[in-house]
Amino acid sequence: MTNVPSRISIIVPVYNVENYLAKCLDSLVNQTHQNIEILVVDDGSKDNSVEIIKEYEGKYPDKIKTFTKENGGLSDARNFGLDRVTGDYIGFVDSDDYVTETMFEEMLHLAEKHQTRIVICNIQKVDENGQVTQKLTQIPNMEEKIRLEDHFSVFSDISYFACNKLFKKELFNQKRFKKGVHFEDIQLIPQLLLECETIAQTQNFHYQYLERTDSITKTHSEKGLDILKAVLDVESAFSQSKYAHKKKELKNFQIFEGVYSFLAYLAFVKDEKTFYSMADKLSVFIRERQIKIQDILNYSRFGTNYLLSLPMKKKIFYLLFFAGQKKLIRKLI
């Protein structure tokens, strides 16, 4: 009796990506791991994405399952897919990105080799010509298998993208992405990590994150406050988890996601009234958690002072903010 390889379900939410979708789907149907299902969820697209989806479904009926629903946003589309998966493991790929052909084969191998429920790979940002613009190493200087009790610093160090990870299906038995919010990955993925005793990683840059030229016009608004709400949800889960005693790592998570990530977003909020309102809410967030300015300035990520490793303009922005110089910040940006 031969062993059937584990099945991987890959969820691809689609919304108006006619220029990028084919490259994404090509990278998935050509995976070296063949026992996959690709759940393509059209979230009410108004362009030719639907025609492209139908074309691929016709070509690859054994791999691609297509669904159409009313527009409900990224979380809703992912949850729609989660309710319909049949695989043992789950991956998420955004429809304007693409992956290497060996991504899911290697990540599944690591999941089964180390009997772990989350596997992480590296990301590289690419432009529309396929040129690499930035390499995002996720967990440098650590072994392939990471026991969280011994190396819980990863909780506050890693980037909480859903798309560069492979998950055991059971992690989603009671969990879903929060609908109607931005930064849904920050809200959910840390909670899934808290359910694990180990994780595994590969240093290969399997996930290709496309920096679209048409995304520059995206508006930054008070929706950025969802970052702080996401941290609040994670704090609640953290207090109920087996890692509740890891107070230092929780504080570092609050600093990285609740302060630095929030400030990175705030820097692009153009409306002055919104900017100051959001800045005031961040001040409350910091005060309520008794985070000291020195904690923020000294925050270490992967053993390196995070502020010192930043580009100069961002560093000046942060230093001015911590000094309370919001008026000067507005001149800087």
Side-chain angles (χ1 to χ4, degrees):
M1 182 176 174
T2 57
N3 289 328
V4 177
S6 295
R7 188 165 178 79
I8 298 176
S9 300
I10 305 168
I11 298 172
V12 185
V14 172
Y15 183 71
N16 293 350
V17 284
E18 61 183 5
N19 295 328
Y20 313 102
L21 183 56
K23 190 165 189 175
C24 173
L25 295 179
D26 281 339
S27 75
L28 297 178
V29 297
N30 290 311
Q31 286 294 300
T32 52
H33 182 77
Q34 289 294 300
N35 192 12
I36 63 172
E37 61 172 4
I38 305 161
L39 292 87
V40 185
V41 182
D42 172 46
D43 192 38
S45 294
K46 302 289 191 287
D47 64 358
N48 290 320
S49 295
V50 178
E51 284 71 23
I52 296 169
I53 293 169
K54 288 177 181 175
E55 178 188 341
Y56 275 81
E57 183 183 29
K59 281 185 185 176
Y60 306 98
D62 56 329
K63 290 183 179 177
I64 292 184
K65 297 180 178 179
T66 66
F67 305 91
T68 300
K69 58 180 286 298
E70 289 185 5
N71 181 256
L74 179 61
S75 293
D76 195 46
R78 284 177 174 172
N79 291 341
F80 187 95
L82 283 169
D83 291 340
R84 290 159 177 81
V85 295
T86 64
D88 309 291
Y89 293 85
I90 296 171
F92 301 93
V93 175
D94 287 346
S95 51
D96 47 1
D97 299 333
Y98 53 98
V99 303
T100 66
E101 290 183 358
T102 58
M103 174 172 168
F104 288 103
E105 180 181 28
E106 184 186 12
M107 294 178 80
L108 175 61
H109 168 72
L110 292 174
E112 295 185 332
K113 174 183 175 182
H114 299 300
Q115 291 298 294
T116 189
R117 298 194 284 179
I118 293 180
V119 181
I120 300 173
C121 73
N122 287 335
I123 300 170
Q124 53 192 16
K125 292 185 177 182
V126 294
D127 63 21
E128 297 198 10
N129 297 316
Q131 298 298 308
V132 177
T133 59
Q134 187 180 5
K135 287 182 174 288
L136 302 176
T137 302
Q138 298 299 288
I139 312 177
N141 310 317
M142 282 201 189
E143 298 295 321
E144 197 175 80
K145 179 181 180 181
I146 300 168
R147 186 171 180 268
L148 292 177
E149 184 61 41
D150 298 333
H151 300 285
F152 199 65
S153 61
V154 299
F155 180 75
S156 56
D157 284 347
I158 66 172
S159 300
Y160 282 109
F161 306 109
C163 295
N164 69 322
K165 298 172 179 66
L166 183 69
F167 304 91
K168 196 82 189 298
K169 181 184 179 182
E170 65 196 36
L171 284 173
F172 292 96
N173 286 349
Q174 307 296 327
K175 299 284 188 183
R176 288 292 186 271
F177 290 93
K178 196 168 187 177
K179 187 179 174 182
V181 301
H182 289 200
F183 309 99
E184 56 282 308
D185 290 2
I186 297 175
Q187 191 271 344
L188 178 63
I189 309 304
Q191 296 188 50
L192 302 183
L193 188 74
L194 292 171
E195 298 291 325
C196 300
E197 294 184 359
T198 63
I199 59 173
Q201 65 147 341
T202 168
Q203 285 296 307
N204 286 322
F205 290 84
H206 284 305
Y207 196 86
Q208 316 300 302
Y209 176 91
L210 177 65
E211 289 193 290
R212 290 163 54 176
T213 53
D214 59 0
S215 66
I216 297 171
T217 55
K218 283 184 179 176
T219 56
H220 284 63
S221 68
E222 61 186 10
K223 271 291 186 182
L225 292 170
D226 286 349
I227 297 174
L228 302 184
K229 295 172 185 173
V231 173
L232 189 66
D233 286 347
V234 173
E235 289 170 348
S236 177
F238 193 94
S239 67
Q240 303 297 318
S241 76
K242 62 173 78 75
Y243 302 109
H245 60 290
K246 303 278 191 179
K247 305 294 186 186
K248 178 185 175 185
E249 288 81 357
L250 175 61
K251 177 169 276 192
N252 281 342
F253 174 83
Q254 292 165 334
I255 292 171
F256 180 55
E257 295 293 1
V259 179
Y260 281 113
S261 293
F262 185 82
L263 281 171
Y265 184 94
L266 183 64
F268 293 95
V269 174
K270 290 186 170 64
D271 180 75
E272 196 150 320
K273 184 178 178 183
T274 303
F275 177 91
Y276 288 121
S277 172
M278 291 174 67
D280 288 341
K281 286 182 171 62
L282 175 60
S283 297
V284 172
F285 175 90
I286 291 170
R287 186 170 63 250
E288 287 180 346
R289 284 150 188 82
Q290 299 181 332
I291 299 172
K292 298 180 176 63
I293 298 302
Q294 208 58 42
D295 295 331
I296 298 170
L297 299 178
N298 292 337
Y299 168 66
S300 175
R301 191 175 186 217
F302 303 122
T304 303
N305 183 288
Y306 188 64
L307 191 63
L308 294 179
S309 65
L310 290 171
M312 184 57 67
K313 186 173 181 180
K314 190 177 283 188
K315 192 181 301 182
I316 292 170
F317 172 85
Y318 289 169
L319 288 170
L320 286 174
F321 186 90
F322 300 147
Q325 301 298 318
K326 296 175 192 171
K327 294 269 194 288
L328 289 175
I329 289 172
R330 295 309 289 170
K331 292 180 181 177
L332 175 71
I333 59 176

